[in-house]
Amino acid sequence: MSQWAGRLIGVALYHKYRPATFSEVVGQEQVTEPLMQALDSGRINHAYLFSGPRGTGKTSSARILARSLNCEQGPTSEPCGKCTSCVALGPGGSGNLDVTELDAASHGGVDDARELRDRAFYAPADSRYRVFIIDEAHMVTSAGFNALLKIVEEPPAHLIFIFATTEPEKVLPTIKSRTHHYPFRLLAPGPMRGLLEKICAQEDVKVEPSVYPLVIRAGGGSPRDALSVLDQLLAGSGTDGITYKNALALLGATDIALIDEAVDALAVQDRPGMFSVIEKVVQAGHDPRRFTTDLLDRFRDLILLQSVPDAADSGMVDAPDDQLTKMTEQAESMGVATATRFADVLSQGLNDMRGATSPRLLLEIMSARMLLPAQDGSHEALLQRLEQVERGIGSVSPRPSGVQEDASSTDSGEEAPQKPAPKKEQAAAAASAGAAAARAMMAKRKAEQQESEPAPEQAPETPKPEPDPASQQQEQPTPEPAPEPEPAREPEPAAASNQNVNAETISKQWVTIRNEVQKASRTLDVMLSTAEVVNYEPKEQRLTLSHKSGPLVSRINEPRHVNILAAAIVEVVGVKMQIRCITGAEKASMVGKAPAAEKAAPKFKKPKLRAPRPAPSTPAAPPANEPPVEPESAAEKPLTEAEKQEIVAEMLDDANDPAQQNIDHRTVEDIAVERLQETLGATLLEEK
């Protein structure tokens, strides 16, 4: 019976391939190199502390250290492996009487510590040193540590302590201060994959390349855990080796095809496609939490591929070659802001899924948030919408289904052809071609603006009235032209119409002002769409606007944007104003201190056309000072391709402008609130 039992029970991989020397330890050079140098130089301490996560080689390194100390040719960093001590302390050896390994989880009391202290004074039997390896040292009680304190502080010359623990902070400080502390770390994916491939080659087992990332992720950076997972896969493999399909079913990971399908749907804002992926995940029996985790890991890889050009070569992103090509295409199909917002939404939703009774519902809500950035007023959602405009994906604002875009097709009664959803290849090609054309257009427009822009110190010239053609014809036959009388100078626009301009006048003319701004900067027109008039001071000719977003307030207050808006107001209203934009909090304080007449500054609302009343016999003329009402359709024109290219070009200019790089566009209040939240844990209360 024992003969059959010996054949059935095999040796675990982490036992079979346990390192026997420091040179065989993988990924712990910060520990092995100083220890090897100390052994070769003879600078040996009486106590060592090895700490780190489980399965990283702490106990194995302690045994290697004891083996190196008691080798007949030692102390040496390379044990001979032939002497009695090396054979007894090597992998599969019977052990040595002079090397005692104690599990503190079951022997951590004061009585065990006293017994160990009494045994420590005996000289070694047939070795150079007597070594005590105390595993799980954080389980030793305070009384036990106090019993060992004196012997650890002043040990005999033949005694060496090696403490191994996963929680070094629980070790008594008086013990810890008398040891040499060596921290072990988790293995990176690169060294871990090399170790797994080496072991599979020695075992002569065929493994598909896509299996290694699953094993590495399941191991969590621990070589022992990864080898345990690999051992399980080897036990269940057939003649064709370890396949990706079998590993996927055993480890419970999400299929890469579902992850790719979800990323592609999110990149092109394909709502039906994304929700169909969720249905496939549930029908396949996958856990929504695991799917969310795997999708978050994919966006982490995409962000690294976008930010670090050599992320794949340096090992920061570990994936097979075919999968790496697919991930590179996905990274190019979306912007950095879009991928970052997707990762942020998934990270927050993953925290909400803990203990949730319906994880599928939370997953669907997260998908809806990622697919509808227009419903989110955050800064990240605004950047995502701008990237969609740049790449020609989706629309800037949702339109009702009954509204037709082509007026000519409406008049003729023909249905407008539905445009197919843009593919990622078409979006990338359109973005690159549009960017090149937009750069040329912006360069030409800047040159024209510089030629036509007046000097900043000169006052605006009053336009001279054109002479009447009839008077010119009468003056031509006159032989002796009389000196023309000097035309009466018209008063300057600001001085003439300043008395009739107030906040309400600017609000009514806001659509016309934005149309003028749109000619110079489409981006500024988008930022001003949610701005509000707070106050206008006629005496100082100062106009105050407000905006809900602090970063957009900083951008609106940039000199180039202020000059564009001021020129548009001069063109429409005829008054040169000083313009500044404030946040909502500053607006609340200003409105509270302003007089009652200035509190009622109207917001920028779209002018509504009233229903026509019965017209009298003689139509009444509109008041002289009331501006004409702009039609509502003027502010809702769909973006043309040229306008999209203008926005792309202006965003490229902002990105290439050194003055605009590394600028924090937040307001002082936003920064102060963030500092209070990080330092003191403060909570921002809603203002009443």
Side-chain angles (χ1 to χ4, degrees):
M1 184 67 182
S2 60
Q3 179 181 0
W4 288 104
R7 291 184 179 181
L8 291 176
I9 299 176
V11 181
L13 291 180
Y14 63 86
H15 276 309
K16 184 176 181 180
Y17 294 97
R18 198 166 199 165
T21 61
F22 283 122
S23 59
E24 297 179 3
V25 179
V26 179
Q28 304 295 340
E29 290 77 11
Q30 76 281 356
V31 175
T32 57
E33 292 180 359
L35 286 177
M36 293 172 66
Q37 185 66 28
L39 289 171
D40 292 338
S41 62
R43 303 183 67 86
I44 301 171
N45 194 42
H46 66 280
Y48 295 89
L49 175 61
F50 294 165
S51 66
R54 70 177 191 275
T56 53
K58 300 183 296 297
T59 307
S60 299
S61 298
R63 294 178 180 178
I64 294 173
L65 180 59
R67 189 185 186 200
S68 301
L69 290 171
N70 290 329
C71 179
E72 292 182 358
Q73 300 179 6
T76 176
S77 59
E78 294 291 338
C80 65
K82 299 179 181 179
C83 63
T84 304
S85 178
C86 289
V87 173
L89 295 177
S94 59
N96 194 322
L97 292 176
D98 296 327
V99 178
T100 304
E101 186 172 345
L102 181 67
D103 183 14
S106 57
H107 299 80
V110 62
D111 295 335
D112 299 311
R114 289 173 179 172
E115 181 183 356
L116 186 65
R117 181 189 59 187
D118 296 339
R119 293 166 53 190
F121 290 99
Y122 293 101
D126 56 354
S127 302
R128 185 178 296 104
Y129 292 100
R130 190 175 184 86
V131 182
F132 286 159
I133 300 175
I134 302 178
D135 199 7
E136 304 295 336
H138 62 277
M139 300 294 291
V140 179
T141 62
S142 299
F145 273 129
N146 290 328
L148 290 175
L149 181 59
K150 191 64 178 178
I151 193 69
V152 173
E153 182 180 2
E154 298 177 358
H158 62 268
L159 184 61
I160 293 178
F161 282 95
I162 304 176
F163 299 93
T165 177
T166 57
E167 302 178 18
E169 65 276 0
K170 292 185 178 180
V171 178
L172 198 68
T174 52
I175 296 289
K176 186 177 180 181
S177 62
R178 290 168 170 81
T179 63
H180 286 184
H181 184 195
Y182 290 94
F184 286 70
R185 303 187 181 97
L186 295 173
L187 248 66
M192 180 73 78
R193 179 159 186 165
L195 176 63
L196 296 177
E197 290 177 347
K198 178 181 178 181
I199 292 176
C200 290
Q202 294 179 3
E203 291 290 327
D204 195 16
V205 177
K206 183 180 178 181
V207 181
E208 293 184 2
S210 56
V211 174
Y212 290 112
L214 297 179
V215 177
I216 293 172
R217 185 173 299 177
S222 171
R224 185 179 64 196
D225 294 352
L227 290 178
S228 298
V229 174
L230 182 62
D231 198 1
Q232 184 179 2
L233 295 176
L234 285 174
S237 62
T239 56
D240 53 350
I242 303 177
T243 61
Y244 174 77
K245 181 179 179 181
N246 295 337
L248 192 68
L250 183 62
L251 299 179
T254 308
D255 190 1
I256 295 180
L258 291 176
I259 299 295
D260 292 337
E261 191 174 349
V263 173
D264 293 340
L266 290 173
V268 297
Q269 297 291 295
D270 184 8
R271 301 173 189 175
M274 182 60 193
F275 284 100
S276 65
V277 171
I278 297 177
E279 182 65 24
K280 293 178 183 178
V281 169
V282 176
Q283 293 297 330
H286 295 293
D287 186 9
R289 299 179 184 86
R290 182 59 186 266
F291 173 75
T292 305
T293 303
D294 295 339
L295 188 58
L296 180 60
D297 292 338
R298 170 59 62 86
F299 279 110
R300 175 258 180 193
D301 295 339
L302 296 182
I303 293 173
L304 287 179
L305 290 175
Q306 292 172 340
S307 305
V308 183
D310 58 343
D313 299 334
S314 61
M316 300 176 66
V317 177
D318 185 19
D321 294 338
D322 55 345
Q323 184 63 28
L324 192 61
T325 304
K326 178 68 174 178
M327 291 168 58
T328 304
E329 295 177 357
Q330 292 174 349
E332 294 175 353
S333 66
M334 66 179 67
V336 179
T338 301
T340 304
R341 181 175 179 269
F342 288 163
D344 186 27
V345 173
L346 290 173
S347 178
Q348 295 178 3
L350 193 60
N351 295 331
D352 297 337
M353 280 186 173
R354 296 177 181 175
T357 57
S358 181
R360 174 180 178 175
L361 178 60
L362 292 179
L363 178 59
E364 292 173 345
I365 293 175
M366 283 188 292
S367 302
R369 289 181 57 194
M370 290 186 289
L371 292 169
L372 296 174
Q375 305 302 324
D376 190 354
S378 63
H379 189 202
E380 293 78 6
L382 179 60
L383 291 177
Q384 179 182 351
R385 295 173 64 188
L386 290 176
E387 285 183 347
Q388 290 177 2
V389 173
E390 177 182 353
R391 295 176 178 269
I393 301 175
S395 58
V396 179
S397 60
R399 297 176 60 87
S401 58
V403 178
Q404 298 184 3
E405 297 182 358
D406 194 355
S408 60
S409 62
T410 305
D411 297 338
S412 60
E414 300 178 358
E415 295 183 357
Q418 297 182 356
K419 297 181 179 180
K423 302 296 182 180
K424 57 182 180 181
E425 295 85 358
Q426 298 177 358
S432 59
R439 290 191 186 96
M441 182 184 300
M442 288 300 298
K444 180 179 179 181
R445 192 180 66 183
K446 280 189 174 181
E448 294 177 355
Q449 288 181 356
Q450 291 177 359
E451 293 178 359
S452 60
E453 186 177 6
E457 298 180 357
Q458 297 178 358
E461 297 181 0
T462 304
K464 297 182 180 181
E466 297 181 358
D468 191 2
S471 61
Q472 290 181 358
Q473 293 178 2
Q474 294 177 3
E475 292 176 358
Q476 283 179 1
T478 306
E480 295 181 1
E484 296 183 1
E486 184 178 0
R489 293 187 178 180
E490 295 182 2
E492 297 201 1
S497 57
N498 192 23
Q499 298 178 356
N500 299 327
V501 175
N502 50 28
E504 183 177 2
T505 303
I506 301 174
S507 300
K508 292 181 178 180
Q509 293 284 355
W510 189 247
V511 176
T512 307
I513 293 173
R514 284 185 54 196
N515 290 338
E516 290 293 331
V517 170
Q518 182 180 357
K519 298 177 182 179
S521 174
R522 182 66 183 176
T523 304
L524 179 58
D525 177 40
V526 174
M527 291 189 292
L528 292 176
S529 59
T530 54
E532 299 179 2
V533 168
V534 177
N535 188 20
Y536 174 67
E537 302 174 12
K539 185 179 295 184
E540 290 81 5
Q541 297 182 4
R542 183 183 304 161
L543 175 64
T544 304
L545 306 177
S546 68
H547 204 285
K548 297 180 181 179
S549 176
L552 292 185
V553 169
S554 302
R555 294 202 62 187
I556 293 174
N557 284 329
E558 293 177 0
R560 56 194 183 92
H561 288 158
V562 171
N563 294 335
I564 294 174
L565 181 56
I569 293 177
V570 170
E571 186 69 21
V572 177
V573 183
V575 179
K576 187 175 182 181
M577 303 179 184
Q578 299 178 3
I579 303 171
R580 72 185 184 102
C581 187
I582 60 176
T583 59
E586 296 175 345
K587 172 194 171 184
S589 61
M590 178 178 293
V591 172
K593 298 178 182 180
E598 297 181 356
K599 287 184 179 180
K603 298 182 179 180
F604 294 146
K605 295 183 178 179
K606 297 179 180 178
K608 298 182 179 180
L609 299 178
R610 300 181 179 178
R613 297 181 180 179
S617 58
T618 304
N625 296 330
E626 185 173 353
V629 179
E630 295 288 340
E632 186 175 1
S633 61
E636 298 184 357
K637 294 180 180 179
L639 293 177
T640 63
E641 190 65 28
E643 292 174 342
K644 291 181 181 179
Q645 292 182 359
E646 286 189 20
I647 295 178
V648 173
E650 188 161 349
M651 293 171 63
L652 290 173
D653 287 345
D654 289 343
N656 295 327
D657 187 4
Q660 298 297 325
Q661 296 178 0
N662 301 326
I663 295 180
D664 193 349
H665 294 288
R666 297 177 296 173
T667 60
V668 178
E669 290 77 5
D670 294 338
I671 297 175
V673 169
E674 180 181 353
R675 293 294 183 271
L676 290 174
Q677 290 176 347
E678 293 178 353
T679 307
L680 303 179
T683 303
L684 181 63
L685 300 179
E686 185 178 0
E687 297 183 1
K688 298 184 178 179

